[in-house]
Amino acid sequence: MSNERLIYLALGGAGEIGMNAYVYGWGAPDKERLIVVDLGVTFPEMEGSPGVDLIFADVEWLEARRDRIEGIFITHAHEDHVGAVGHLWHRLRAPIYARRFTAHHAARKLSEHGGDEKAINVVEPWPDTRKYGPFSVGFAPISHSIPESSSLVIDTPAGRIVHTGDFKLDRTPLVGEPWDPDLWAGIAAGGVKALVCDSTNVFSPHAGRSEATVGPEITELVSDAKGMVIATTFASNVARVKTLAEAGVAAGRSVCLLGRAMRRMVEASVETGVLTDFPTVVSPEEAGDIPRENLMLLVTGSQGERRAASAGLSRGKYLGLEVKEGDLFLFSSKTIPGNERGVARIINAFSEKGVDVVDENSGGHYHVSGHANRPDLDTMHALVKPQMVIPMHGEHRHLREHAKLAESNGLQSIVAPNGAVVDMTGNRPKIAEYIEAGRTYLDGAVQIGALDGVVRDRIRMALNGHVLVTLILEDNDALGDPWVEISGLPETGRSKAALVDVLEEDLGQFVGRAKRKTLSDDEALEKELRQIVRKTALDEIGKRPEVTVVISRLSA
Amino acid sequence: MSNERLIYLALGGAGEIGMNAYVYGWGAPDKERLIVVDLGVTFPEMEGSPGVDLIFADVEWLEARRDRIEGIFITHAHEDHVGAVGHLWHRLRAPIYARRFTAHHAARKLSEHGGDEKAINVVEPWPDTRKYGPFSVGFAPISHSIPESSSLVIDTPAGRIVHTGDFKLDRTPLVGEPWDPDLWAGIAAGGVKALVCDSTNVFSPHAGRSEATVGPEITELVSDAKGMVIATTFASNVARVKTLAEAGVAAGRSVCLLGRAMRRMVEASVETGVLTDFPTVVSPEEAGDIPRENLMLLVTGSQGERRAASAGLSRGKYLGLEVKEGDLFLFSSKTIPGNERGVARIINAFSEKGVDVVDENSGGHYHVSGHANRPDLDTMHALVKPQMVIPMHGEHRHLREHAKLAESNGLQSIVAPNGAVVDMTGNRPKIAEYIEAGRTYLDGAVQIGALDGVVRDRIRMALNGHVLVTLILEDNDALGDPWVEISGLPETGRSKAALVDVLEEDLGQFVGRAKRKTLSDDEALEKELRQIVRKTALDEIGKRPEVTVVISRLSA
């Protein structure tokens, strides 16, 4: 069929850092066979999504086409790539493919949410490839900040696609496969149609540094420390966790892992064979008996998360362990934009306890990024020599900058945000159509649409407070006065009388004077009562609260 | 009297960057005559203070002692130093002292809130000094990022205090008085008891750069631009606004000020004589007729504020002006920690419109800080040679680091967070007592305590949603079924039935089966109904909402 086409579609990840979810398709328009790459989450915040537990891409488009999905391919085990698997699989029910370490995490997520673990298939890395409908897919090892990260080499009837996943060019990653330019030259040798490429660090001007570069400075810092040493990093950065643990051992310290994710990641890494020589660790109970100068804690919570071990320690005793004046706390991490306040809260709490905190602003090099910086992207462009570069994984500014970079490297490019269906069949990428791409909120146990209004109502209550009015009518006569309750509003305002009393007085006067016609019409009555509340509240306290009116009608 | 003492007390600013409010006292304990330095604000955020308009120090302690206040001294016109004057003056009713430009702003704030402008007294700068009870106070010019910033030289019976206010060591500040080490050597010559010193930049390792250093790069950037140029900075940084305007003029562009604060600051600066040669500006209407390559907009909103001109332009037309592909937007500013998300929102919105954004991460030098960096603090310590350094204006970590720095410079120091009353009478500073120091929220028109529970209730509604239950009883018999309304909660949960129906069903069953004794006891009944709602909601939607129960009793 001459009208078959090759499409790319981001449902998440092309408009934010996080929430990755990409689709490729081959076939006649609206009959394409599809593969899905990654199903990740992003995290809520009080400003835009209060009370929400997790955020992921809206997969309604995919769900409606699930009979056309050949498989779901997970590049690596970071939450923003695998985190939604448990929540979304039952809506898609396609087989999942991943390498061993990633599959281990995907399987746990699936089983935690009642999914069928048999849906998970462990694949071998490149040069192994397998057919999935019109596609052939191979998992090409690439360095990142978690073991067994892979790029996908996707062969299609229209040519080869390289989907980088998250990556950096690290020849000495300590754990997992090093960056291997020869491997990539081989992959590129037959020609690559499209490089779909990580964009997160496009604004970082200098070539990225290797994971191996942080070891010496960390080791020196730990060996100079006098009291207890506590260090935090992303638990999934198994290489870093190992570096930290080894620095502790080298300084004659026992190592203790605190926080569920930290223990889980190390266990999973040992179980799946990616980590072979991790130092012996002691339990928190054992740690309690060890002199603090001989102890090193590796803890969760590098982003200031309130429930993590770092926050627990900053507040007081945590699993029987407690920081003291003269201890050292190391953030072997970067604060993700948006998390600054949470991290500062912890640093200040440690400061109050006399703990010295070392972080990214302390002048040392205790962290490296897991993503390709601008010159590394140049290297990748030059090595893969694709017909076109499709920037992915980034906010709009990152995608746009990456597209400009590709063009400056003589490559075609296009900015394709979430929802843009890119037709890659011809020589130039073009946007064929836009589909509705949105966000799904996991709210408690329920998946709700970001635009459903539920969270909007919460934000309104948080900003404006809430007034409840109840009124009982019998045959269109008020039985007693309107009753008012307030939540999240000051008890008194300008008149110094209780706000509820002032509101009840004004509402009562209205009801006393109201015509039968008004009292007989629920809608009109509710509107009047609401307006009185808002006007009186504005006079009294300078705010227009949210108002709920409940009218109960009894018949005599 | 032998027991007279000299005290220092931070009510705000020593535990946060912002909300400055300091007190000095001399006299017998609890009979001290007092002076207040600065009455500033800090800004609310959705996470901790949703719906709040402004935050300032709780001045209850001061209010209870207002007959002992000799005066309120404002060091400079930044909001975190003068912003609460209008809101708090009627509670303190002491005379306010400030230099001309600062007084101009204080007067406006006072009159906006019904205060008496006659309370404001314009003072001349050092070497002019005046007596205020047991104190003598002089306003010593010092460089910062707003005109006429001053340190206070406070002479007391126990010796001289230098209260730096916010400062940097800038010999070429472009607007206002340059840093003058000779002046400071003179102030220090007779000996200084205490240097109470700005701590915000104690973690910045390199000596600060002068305001004059940003001009050349800004000028080059603007002259290279092809489309319209829009630049933002803090409006109060009058020197920067002038530099930006002059860069526009040099590139043959007409300059237009957008945003109330931007126009107001330039006007105030011209009126008070601190700014003498600001380029002619055009109105937004006139700007609409000027070719975009000949136009430069100076706009408010460097911190991503949703209502500022920068945000307005990022969304679409603003006062008839609109950005287009190829325009340049310059952040001549630093993003204050916590504001990253708001700034990123604007940058991405501009990216979608094809506007090139240049900011602190773009590699150029388009901004310098207004505060003294670590080596500058060393310089100040060495020049003033005080008996003791009291770090102020900073989070706990900044105060602690500054105290360590002072000690490493051979000076006594102490960490004195908000509420710590420091006795400086003797040779060493010591904390005499702690008073309750808190935060006051301006919420609409009402001042509420941060711990009053009002905002806590709002946060709970935002996180958990809200369920309202009404039940009408007549002589302890239910009249009809309980009625439920929900706000901020999903409409359906696990059972796929409407959440309100499931709740009403469960509540109705309980009421139908309830004993008369339960139905006759409002408190017990309310508790039961609340528990049923929370349990059923947890089963259905996985959340425990906030619940309001209204029981109405009719008598037959």
Side-chain angles (χ1 to χ4, degrees), chain A residues 389-503:
Chain A
V389 172
I390 315 279
M392 63 154 178
H393 203 191
E395 299 169 10
H396 196 281
R397 54 176 165 166
H398 300 103
L399 305 182
R400 180 165 178 265
E401 185 71 13
H402 193 173
K404 286 207 262 178
L405 183 69
E407 280 160 11
S408 77
N409 287 332
L411 304 170
Q412 295 181 56
S413 193
I414 195 168
V415 175
N418 294 338
V421 178
V422 179
D423 186 336
M424 304 193 290
T425 325
N427 289 328
R428 308 184 73 87
K430 54 173 192 261
I431 292 178
E433 68 210 278
Y434 289 94
I435 66 145
E436 232 176 274
R439 295 181 153 208
T440 297
Y441 291 160
L442 178 70
D443 188 53
V446 183
Q447 293 185 14
I448 56 179
L451 302 178
D452 284 1
V454 172
V455 168
R456 181 200 59 206
D457 287 351
R458 278 187 215 155
I459 292 173
R460 285 186 182 164
M461 287 191 289
L463 293 176
N464 307 323
H466 188 237
V467 171
L468 157 66
V469 179
T470 60
L471 177 64
I472 305 174
L473 297 167
E474 187 173 38
D475 296 334
N476 298 334
D477 283 323
L479 271 184
D481 288 322
W483 176 268
V484 169
E485 304 230 359
I486 61 174
S487 311
L489 290 170
E491 285 182 11
T492 57
R494 275 185 235 268
S495 69
K496 309 290 179 203
L499 177 60
V500 288
D501 293 346
V502 181
L503 289 169

Side-chain angles (χ1 to χ4, degrees), chain B residues 45-56:
Chain B
E45 21 89 21
M46 185 70 184
E47 191 173 344
S49 42
V52 169
D53 294 281
L54 273 180
I55 302 173
F56 32 80

Side-chain angles (χ1 to χ4, degrees), chain A residues 51 351 356 396 404 445 458 462 541, chain B residues 351 356 396 404 445 462 541 543:
Chain A
S351 177
D356 293 314
H396 196 281
K404 286 207 262 178
R458 278 187 215 155
I541 59 168
Chain B
S351 177
D356 293 314
H396 197 281
K404 286 207 260 178
I541 59 169
K543 286 181 93 87

Side-chain angles (χ1 to χ4, degrees), chain A residues 8 10 12-20 22 80 166 197-203 371 391-400 402 415-418, chain B residues 348:
Chain A
Y8 158 88
E16 62 262 305
I17 293 179
M19 204 179 92
N20 291 277
Y22 306 94
D80 60 335
D166 291 355
C197 191
D198 181 3
S199 309
T200 58
N201 280 16
V202 67
F203 288 108
H371 292 270
M392 63 154 178
H393 203 191
E395 299 169 10
H396 196 281
R397 54 176 165 166
H398 300 103
L399 305 182
R400 180 165 178 265
H402 193 173
V415 175
N418 294 338
Chain B
N348 283 313

Side-chain angles (χ1 to χ4, degrees), chain B residues 5 34 96 115 144 190 223 242 268 289 358 381 393 447 482 497 543:
Chain B
R5 61 178 191 170
L34 307 172
I96 294 170
H144 183 42
S223 82
K242 189 177 174 220
D289 296 329
V358 172
H381 293 175
H393 203 192
Q447 294 187 14
K543 286 181 93 87

Side-chain angles (χ1 to χ4, degrees), chain A residues 294-419:
Chain A
N294 296 331
L295 197 56
M296 171 132 179
L297 312 181
L298 302 185
V299 308
T300 52
S302 65
Q303 299 303 312
E305 302 93 327
R306 279 178 194 272
R307 291 177 193 173
S310 63
L313 284 167
S314 79
R315 286 189 295 259
K317 274 206 177 179
Y318 184 84
L319 296 178
L321 298 167
E322 198 170 8
V323 299
K324 286 208 174 135
E325 176 142 14
D327 289 347
L328 174 76
F329 192 99
L330 169 63
F331 282 89
S332 181
S333 55
K334 179 184 180 298
T335 301
I336 295 173
N339 296 339
E340 289 81 2
R341 282 202 185 102
V343 170
R345 193 184 302 123
I346 287 178
I347 295 177
N348 284 314
F350 280 130
S351 177
E352 288 179 26
K353 292 174 188 297
V355 173
D356 293 314
V357 174
V358 172
D359 68 2
E360 56 187 325
N361 302 318
S362 303
H365 289 111
Y366 308 110
H367 177 67
V368 292
S369 170
H371 292 270
N373 290 351
R374 194 180 184 92
D376 309 322
L377 295 173
D378 285 332
T379 302
M380 198 67 170
H381 293 176
L383 193 56
V384 175
K385 294 184 202 71
Q387 197 175 23
M388 57 189 78
V389 172
I390 315 279
M392 63 154 178
H393 203 191
E395 299 169 10
H396 196 281
R397 54 176 165 166
H398 300 103
L399 305 182
R400 180 165 178 265
E401 185 71 13
H402 193 173
K404 286 207 262 178
L405 183 69
E407 280 160 11
S408 77
N409 287 332
L411 304 170
Q412 295 181 56
S413 193
I414 195 168
V415 175
N418 294 338

Side-chain angles (χ1 to χ4, degrees), chain A residues 184-263:
Chain A
W184 287 90
I187 288 170
V192 170
K193 180 162 197 69
L195 177 68
V196 183
C197 191
D198 181 3
S199 309
T200 58
N201 280 16
V202 67
F203 288 108
S204 300
H206 307 297
R209 294 185 307 125
S210 168
E211 184 62 36
T213 62
V214 300
E217 283 197 52
I218 288 176
T219 304
E220 194 183 331
L221 183 74
V222 175
S223 81
D224 288 349
K226 302 283 177 285
M228 185 162 69
V229 177
I230 312 101
T232 185
T233 189
F234 273 116
S236 57
N237 192 338
V238 176
R240 185 70 51 78
V241 175
K242 190 176 175 224
T243 297
L244 291 166
E246 285 171 349
V249 170
R253 291 169 182 268
S254 298
V255 174
C256 175
L257 306 178
L258 287 189
R260 197 173 53 163
M262 196 56 82
R263 291 194 314 278

